[in-house]
Amino acid sequence: MSKKELLLGNFAVARGAYEAGATVATAYPGTPSTEITEYIAQYDKINSEWSTNEKVALEVAIGASIAGSRSIVSMKHVGLNVAADPFMTVTYTGVNSGLVIAVADDPSMHSSQNEQDTRYFGMAGKCPVLEPSNSQECKDYTKMAFEISEKFDTPVILRLTTRISHSQSIVSLEDRITDEEIISRPYDKNPDKYISAPANARKRRVIIEERLGKLQEFTNNPENNLINVEYNDKAIGIITSGASYQYAKEVCPNASFFKLGMVYPLPKEAITEFVNNCDKVYVIEELEPIFEKEIKSWGLYVIGKEIFPTIGELSPEIIRTCLKEAGELESKSLVTYEVQEDLPVRPPVLCPGCHHRGPFYILKKLKLNVSGDIGCYTLGGVPPLSAIDTTICMGASIGMAHGFEMAKGKEFAKKSVAVIGDSTFWHSGVTGLIDIVYNKGNSTVIVLDNSITAMTGHQENPSTGKTLKGDMAPQIDFVALGKAIGIKRVVEVDAYDLEKLEEVIKTEVNAEEPSLIITKRPCILIKGVKFEYKDLQVNSEKCNGCKLCLRIGCPAISFNNETKKAEINKSLCVGCGLCVDVCKRSAIELKEKKD
Ligand code: SF4
Ligand code: SF4
């Protein structure tokens, strides 16, 4: 087959896994990595699933590898923190069939709580890291990663970044290796290798160091296609990788380039030769100065973070400005141009009709201390709702609420709640809840159950009743689970019933034992979700301009400064009726019921 397609980087990774003969794929959704597994799910020959979290996803993939299937696990950078425990040991045990760990970093934190550089994980685990710079390489490197994994008996990290995951470029498609060629190995029953007890682990530790040396030899060899050296104007040499290569190439098309495909371990001999062949060498890498520090440790002179930023994404404009400030403006390697970046700012906001809005409105009204979590509902911290006080990481809200109580006592617990979404609860909230019960805590936990993993684009999870492939699945029941772990006070409440919601929250925070409140309503963007009313409007005779309805932060409601009355944008309003409940003057009128 010789077909070309315009593919998103993430789709190209999925295609690479398919062509390489992978038969198992796992993931927990997380922007910017989510589409890898969504796309893989379209291939019938790959047994794929959403796991409850990244640790489980990696453990499933490790099991599949040892059992003899090429396996790929995908996650965002913070997901690797969750999966760090099995990761740091599977690098010791090694693999049977190839194991690829696709990790997407998010420089500039477009949709993340922090900025991490996954190359550090590669170094910490002594695990090879490949980094593609376009969609074609996303596919090719995924295939190579399986081969390297098997050749060197190691998992391989495929490091992506937001721009590479979410950019499109042309990819040549090839056939999947045939079923006969697929490296389906027998189950590897090898306890000395796979039981990482001290006696075995000490032996494997030596093997890891030997493996690193062999990987370095491998990447040094240009025939293995993991380094790309282009000599042009030798006045400026640039060592780079990934998206930074594309930016640097745009700014300095005439410079000499050393592009790295394997970003850990580094090809020392080849880099040394390049540095010695150029008059001056810049290291251009996004986030941490990892290449730069290592190259300098070899006694070579290169320029890196002295002029380029450590924080955030790079761009052609940033690179051009930094080189200009370093005095390279006159260099023939550099092209100059101006880019206008005056796009309007569009701050994130909960959707009109979102069911999280009501609970946050009540929590703010009751002036409770709220530990929040990761999901759409993190937007409950944004004005005018401003209802949550903390967000640290997936599942942290519940343990933190217990921490509030440990620090300040039971009375403080009665003024505090934890708020978490359904998918995040299954990911890593449930263990915090068990901790509260076991340690006789008093906290109130609110699960905002919108029956989907909404923030990453509507993936299935244990409360949706469906699998990644769309098959029916057991629906794990919050009420049954809460009771099973010993919580006596478990209450379900309609998220749009503000009166009831307020009453329930007031009662439960004052209870002398832990409570679990589940606010139930599907995400309004789920197909088929409809509201009862339409054609809402503000009766200008009743409206006194108090602005109470603006406190719920619905994008469909605005205030007309000339008439001094609230207004509803009919093209945005979905008719949830929340503002009707909030307005004390009954000024928001439901004109008619939907059929
Ligand atoms: S809450 Fe009611 S009275 Fe107050 S501004 Fe809104 S519509 Fe008008
Ligand atoms: S009914 Fe009110 S709160 Fe609901 S979407 Fe419309 S304007 Fe927003």
Side-chain angles (χ1 to χ4, degrees):
M1 185 208 279
S2 67
K3 200 176 151 203
K4 290 187 188 239
E5 264 186 36
L6 186 67
L7 287 187
L8 207 65
N10 280 347
F11 290 176
V13 172
R15 178 73 195 187
Y18 169 76
E19 290 180 8
T23 51
V24 172
T26 58
Y28 183 81
T31 309
S33 67
T34 311
E35 299 86 0
I36 297 173
T37 313
E38 287 182 324
Y39 200 76
I40 281 179
Q42 296 173 19
Y43 296 115
D44 289 340
K45 293 195 169 196
I46 305 183
N47 193 359
S48 52
E49 67 176 34
W50 293 128
S51 305
T52 39
N53 66 31
E54 295 85 354
K55 177 175 182 284
V56 176
L58 178 54
E59 289 157 352
V60 174
I62 293 169
S65 160
I66 293 173
S69 285
R70 282 190 167 182
S71 307
I72 180 166
V73 53
S74 309
M75 59 194 73
K76 67 183 293 177
H77 62 295
V78 286
L80 190 50
N81 303 341
V82 180
D85 205 359
F87 169 72
M88 293 300 287
T89 300
V90 72
T91 56
Y92 274 59
T93 64
V95 302
N96 180 19
S97 284
L99 174 62
V100 176
I101 306 171
V103 185
D105 288 356
D106 189 19
S108 287
M109 298 167 274
H110 297 285
S111 55
S112 306
Q113 66 270 41
N114 67 26
E115 201 171 53
Q116 290 179 199
D117 194 322
T118 292
R119 292 176 297 169
Y120 273 137
F121 264 108
M123 292 166 77
K126 297 180 183 282
C127 174
V129 183
L130 304 189
E131 182 173 14
S133 69
N134 57 31
S135 296
Q136 181 68 53
E137 286 184 358
C138 282
K139 193 197 80 160
D140 295 343
Y141 285 11
T142 303
K143 294 170 81 173
M144 285 167 81
F146 281 109
E147 283 158 21
I148 292 168
S149 173
E150 284 162 7
K151 184 177 171 75
F152 294 93
D153 190 11
T154 175
V156 175
I157 292 176
L158 182 77
R159 185 212 185 200
L160 304 153
T161 55
T162 304
R163 294 295 159 190
I164 298 301
S165 285
H166 287 169
S167 297
Q168 299 190 74
S169 58
I170 298 287
V171 178
S172 295
L173 306 185
E174 292 157 278
D175 290 327
R176 175 176 167 89
I177 58 174
T178 61
D179 287 347
E180 293 71 48
E181 289 171 308
I182 284 182
I183 314 185
S184 182
R185 301 178 171 188
Y187 173 59
D188 189 13
K189 201 174 178 68
N190 188 348
D192 288 349
K193 185 168 183 275
Y194 297 120
I195 296 181
S196 199
N200 294 335
R202 284 186 204 112
K203 289 182 202 149
R204 299 294 305 175
R205 178 74 187 85
V206 178
I207 292 170
I208 288 176
E209 289 305 319
E210 291 167 357
R211 185 176 74 199
L212 267 183
K214 288 178 192 160
L215 282 160
Q216 212 162 28
E217 272 174 42
F218 181 79
T219 183
N220 256 310
N221 184 346
E223 285 176 15
N224 292 322
N225 292 325
L226 286 166
I227 51 178
N228 184 4
V229 187
E230 300 165 47
Y231 282 113
N232 297 306
D233 174 16
K234 290 186 179 170
I236 292 183
I238 293 174
I239 299 172
T240 185
S241 69
S244 306
Y245 168 75
Q246 303 292 357
Y247 306 147
K249 195 77 185 146
E250 192 175 322
V251 176
C252 309
N254 305 318
S256 293
F257 274 86
F258 191 110
K259 183 175 86 64
L260 289 150
M262 185 182 282
V263 295
Y264 177 78
L266 292 183
K268 184 175 177 182
E269 284 165 33
I271 288 178
T272 305
E273 189 183 326
F274 180 77
V275 173
N276 290 335
N277 280 335
C278 296
D279 298 343
K280 193 192 285 179
V281 173
Y282 291 100
V283 177
I284 303 182
E285 55 191 324
E286 244 167 11
L287 302 182
E288 299 297 319
I290 292 175
F291 302 154
E292 180 191 338
K293 278 189 177 169
E294 183 150 3
I295 294 167
K296 283 179 173 170
S297 78
W298 302 334
L300 298 172
Y301 177 71
V302 291
I303 303 163
K305 297 297 178 186
E306 296 94 329
I307 65 165
F308 299 108
T310 307
I311 299 170
E313 277 187 313
L314 294 177
S315 69
E317 188 57 16
I318 290 170
I319 292 173
R320 196 179 72 85
T321 304
C322 293
L323 287 171
K324 189 174 153 187
E325 284 171 9
E328 298 289 357
L329 187 61
E330 303 304 323
S331 165
K332 64 178 179 177
S333 294
L334 211 69
V335 290
T336 55
Y337 53 85
E338 293 298 330
V339 179
Q340 263 194 308
E341 290 181 350
D342 51 3
L343 293 172
V345 178
R346 188 168 163 260
V349 65
L350 291 172
C351 300
C354 173
H355 113 226
H356 302 327
R357 190 167 273 114
F360 285 135
Y361 175 72
I362 299 297
L363 293 174
K364 176 86 183 295
K365 185 175 168 193
L366 297 178
K367 296 190 173 61
L368 294 174
N369 308 309
V370 180
S371 62
D373 224 299
I374 306 273
C376 297
Y377 49 90
T378 311
L379 293 168
V382 173
L385 287 166
S386 306
I388 61 175
D389 307 336
T390 61
T391 299
I392 299 295
C393 68
M394 292 285 287
S397 58
I398 301 179
M400 288 177 66
H402 184 54
F404 288 178
E405 183 180 355
M406 287 187 79
K408 296 280 184 192
K410 215 168 186 174
E411 287 312 305
F412 193 81
K414 289 182 178 176
K415 295 185 196 119
S416 308
V417 296
V419 172
I420 187 167
D422 51 321
S423 186
T424 312
F425 180 82
W426 302 126
H427 177 283
S428 46
V430 62
T431 44
L433 192 59
I434 293 168
D435 187 71
I436 288 172
V437 176
Y438 169 59
N439 289 299
K440 297 187 265 182
N442 203 63
S443 301
T444 299
V445 173
I446 302 177
V447 177
L448 304 171
D449 178 12
N450 63 357
S451 305
I452 205 76
T453 312
M455 188 169 71
T456 44
H458 281 200
Q459 289 74 36
E460 306 296 341
N461 71 50
S463 46
T464 67
K466 281 195 180 162
T467 67
L468 166 63
K469 296 266 192 185
D471 302 327
M472 299 306 283
Q475 212 169 355
I476 317 287
D477 181 358
F478 286 107
V479 177
L481 179 119
K483 294 205 163 151
I485 63 172
I487 298 180
K488 297 190 191 90
R489 307 185 69 92
V490 184
V491 191
E492 274 189 314
V493 57
D494 180 355
Y496 291 105
D497 187 343
L498 291 185
E499 202 177 322
K500 180 82 181 159
L501 201 56
E502 184 169 346
E503 180 198 316
V504 166
I505 294 173
K506 271 186 188 162
T507 306
E508 296 310 320
V509 289
N510 281 302
E512 300 295 330
E513 56 185 314
S515 304
L516 179 63
I517 301 171
I518 301 115
T519 65
K520 273 194 92 65
R521 274 293 183 123
C523 170
I524 55 140
L525 299 180
I526 293 177
K527 207 172 160 200
V529 171
K530 289 199 176 101
F531 291 101
E532 206 180 347
Y533 297 100
K534 65 176 180 180
D535 287 343
L536 278 174
Q537 65 180 22
V538 177
N539 182 328
S540 57
E541 286 183 7
K542 290 187 189 170
C543 176
N544 68 352
C546 71
K547 297 187 181 173
L548 197 58
C549 57
L550 268 69
R551 290 193 197 168
I552 58 175
C554 176
I557 308 176
S558 59
F559 194 74
N560 187 323
N561 280 325
E562 282 175 16
T563 61
K564 306 285 181 216
K565 310 279 178 191
E567 286 180 349
I568 289 180
N569 182 334
K570 286 184 186 172
S571 62
L572 290 177
C573 173
V574 296
C576 73
L578 193 69
C579 55
V580 179
D581 286 350
V582 169
C583 175
K584 291 198 179 344
R585 294 179 62 83
S586 303
I588 302 176
E589 295 177 338
L590 304 166
K591 281 189 76 178
E592 57 181 294
K593 280 200 169 194
K594 278 184 181 170
D595 299 330

